[in-house]
Amino acid sequence: MPLTHRHLLQIEGLHPPEIDTMLDLAESYALLNRSGKTQRDLLRGRTLINLFFEDSTRTRTSFELAGKRLGADVINMSVSTSSVNKGETLLDTAATLNAMNCDLLVVRHGDSGAPALLARKVDAAVINAGDGMHEHPTQALLDALTIRRRRGRLEGLTVAICGDVLHSRVARSNIFLLSAMGSRVRVIGPPTLMPTEIERLGVEVFHDMREGLRDCDIVMMLRLQKERMTRGLIPSFREFFRFYGLDAEKLACAKPDALVMHPGPMNRGVEIASDVADDPVRSLIKEQVEMGVAVRMAVLDILARRSSRND
Ligand code: NCD
């Protein structure tokens, strides 16, 4: 089923066949990448701008690599928002980018809704690379692809999303995607890091990690978003690790073959112990990074085809 949207702003509202279409294409790009081949004709002559108002290493580089592997001209723009009025900057930037005739615009911004605002102002296809505490759709797609490759399916799996759920756009996008695809989703964390009424999204809430991990197939850890914490929401990092950090002992509460994920960047010893993060059998963290490139190639491919049809 073809994706009917012009932009990729969020997972919420996408239908399972649309998600499957993206994952299937990403799977073929994962195989292509492993074979060492490229598809440089696909986006030849197209321009991709990476517009990052917030720091990023892996997301920015993987969009850059994805664009280059498909033959696009890729430009990276990092914008500091420290001293200027954010709204004004965003609209000024939109006008500038529009004048440059860019085809694909990848946006990361500290404010929820910024990519959607840009999408209304530019002709390019806009991809949300993380907006505030709202969504990070390509992260959820790459997580889903990683799980699907290992487990062969998403349906019927029990996935625990653990830690700083409150500030996490990764958690929100994953909740929407995994629920739509028939996984059972649990969220685990202290009450201070849990959004109010999160149950409305159809998840089960646990404050006791050992209890929440019982019978889980996948344990997805989140980074503590210190930069988004305006007040003391946890007593200390040591205390947080004791109750909510994933170590071998807590992981033993999940299924014996449960797999571990983390979107990165990791705070080792705060939300995850190094021996668990680096476990070659249980940890999927490196594979998540690899699948990130494949998923972004698929998304760029689909959106570029759509925009060329609109030309
Ligand atoms: C995530 C993000 O930026 O939302 N990181 C990422 O994209 N790899 C998660 C995080 O920063 O904690």
Side-chain angles (χ1 to χ4, degrees):
M1 174 174 168
L3 196 75
T4 50
H5 308 270
R6 200 159 78 83
H7 310 285
L8 179 64
L9 301 174
Q10 57 186 38
I11 298 292
E12 187 178 10
L14 289 184
H15 300 296
E18 295 174 312
I19 294 169
D20 269 330
T21 300
M22 288 190 275
L23 295 181
D24 291 345
L25 185 60
E27 172 70 36
S28 70
Y29 278 123
L31 297 175
L32 189 82
N33 287 343
R34 284 199 177 170
S35 75
K37 295 194 192 110
T38 52
Q39 271 246 12
R40 294 202 198 274
D41 287 340
L42 205 79
L43 297 186
R44 194 181 297 281
R46 301 290 195 110
T47 306
L48 168 106
I49 298 184
N50 261 329
L51 181 62
F52 277 64
F53 293 87
E54 262 190 355
D55 287 348
S56 163
T57 319
R58 68 193 76 203
T59 304
R60 192 187 54 71
T61 46
S62 87
F63 269 112
E64 182 174 356
L65 202 53
K68 286 183 172 163
R69 287 210 177 137
L70 297 176
D73 296 319
V74 182
I75 295 158
N76 292 315
M77 286 177 65
S78 299
V79 193
S80 161
T81 52
S82 53
S83 58
V84 273
N85 175 302
K86 285 185 191 167
E88 212 171 271
T89 313
L90 197 60
L91 297 181
D92 283 349
T93 311
T96 308
L97 296 176
N98 225 12
M100 289 177 183
N101 293 323
C102 116
D103 301 286
L104 294 149
L105 184 59
V106 176
V107 186
R108 169 167 289 196
H109 200 286
D111 293 341
S112 307
L117 179 65
L118 270 177
R120 291 201 293 273
K121 302 284 176 191
V122 296
D123 300 322
V126 175
I127 300 159
N128 178 5
D131 61 331
M133 303 180 338
H134 174 227
E135 280 222 36
H136 191 352
T138 56
Q139 179 70 44
L141 288 164
L142 76 89
D143 289 339
L145 180 63
T146 308
I147 298 171
R148 210 179 74 162
R149 285 173 66 90
R150 278 300 181 100
R151 286 284 182 257
R153 67 197 160 97
L154 296 169
E155 200 179 347
L157 297 179
T158 303
V159 182
I161 304 178
C162 315
D164 186 358
V165 181
L166 177 65
H167 299 106
S168 181
R169 52 200 180 201
V170 174
R172 285 177 58 82
S173 288
N174 265 303
I175 290 170
F176 290 126
L177 192 151
L178 292 167
S179 309
M181 302 309 278
S183 306
R184 280 183 295 271
V185 184
R186 299 177 181 177
V187 288
I188 306 175
T192 49
L193 293 179
M194 209 45 91
T196 46
E197 304 197 8
I198 180 101
E199 302 84 353
R200 286 192 177 197
L201 299 184
V203 298
E204 253 188 294
V205 183
F206 292 85
H207 301 303
D208 181 299
M209 192 162 182
R210 290 176 183 84
E211 197 188 315
L213 289 181
R214 200 167 299 144
D215 295 327
C216 281
D217 298 281
I218 305 287
V219 185
M220 191 181 279
M221 301 307 299
L222 301 170
R223 183 176 66 86
L224 264 190
Q225 310 262 313
K226 295 172 223 168
E227 73 278 17
R228 296 188 218 284
M229 291 188 193
T230 46
R231 58 204 163 92
L233 295 173
I234 54 165
S236 70
F237 294 138
R238 254 184 78 189
E239 183 101 340
F240 182 81
F241 185 73
R242 207 175 121 218
F243 288 101
Y244 296 104
L246 187 66
D247 55 12
E249 185 260 315
K250 292 196 199 79
L251 181 58
C253 299
K255 282 196 180 156
D257 59 350
L259 297 167
V260 175
M261 304 176 78
H262 192 301
M266 284 183 275
N267 294 307
R268 290 168 182 266
V270 177
E271 65 252 354
I272 190 163
S274 272
D275 58 334
V276 172
D278 300 332
D279 184 324
V281 180
R282 311 287 294 274
S283 170
L284 297 180
I285 296 170
K286 287 203 192 99
E287 204 169 317
Q288 286 175 270
V289 178
E290 182 189 355
M291 292 310 129
V293 179
V295 153
R296 284 156 186 144
M297 289 169 84
V299 169
L300 296 177
D301 176 345
I302 290 170
L303 293 183
R305 281 174 206 266
R306 274 206 55 77
S307 69
S308 66
R309 252 185 270 136
N310 291 344
D311 279 348

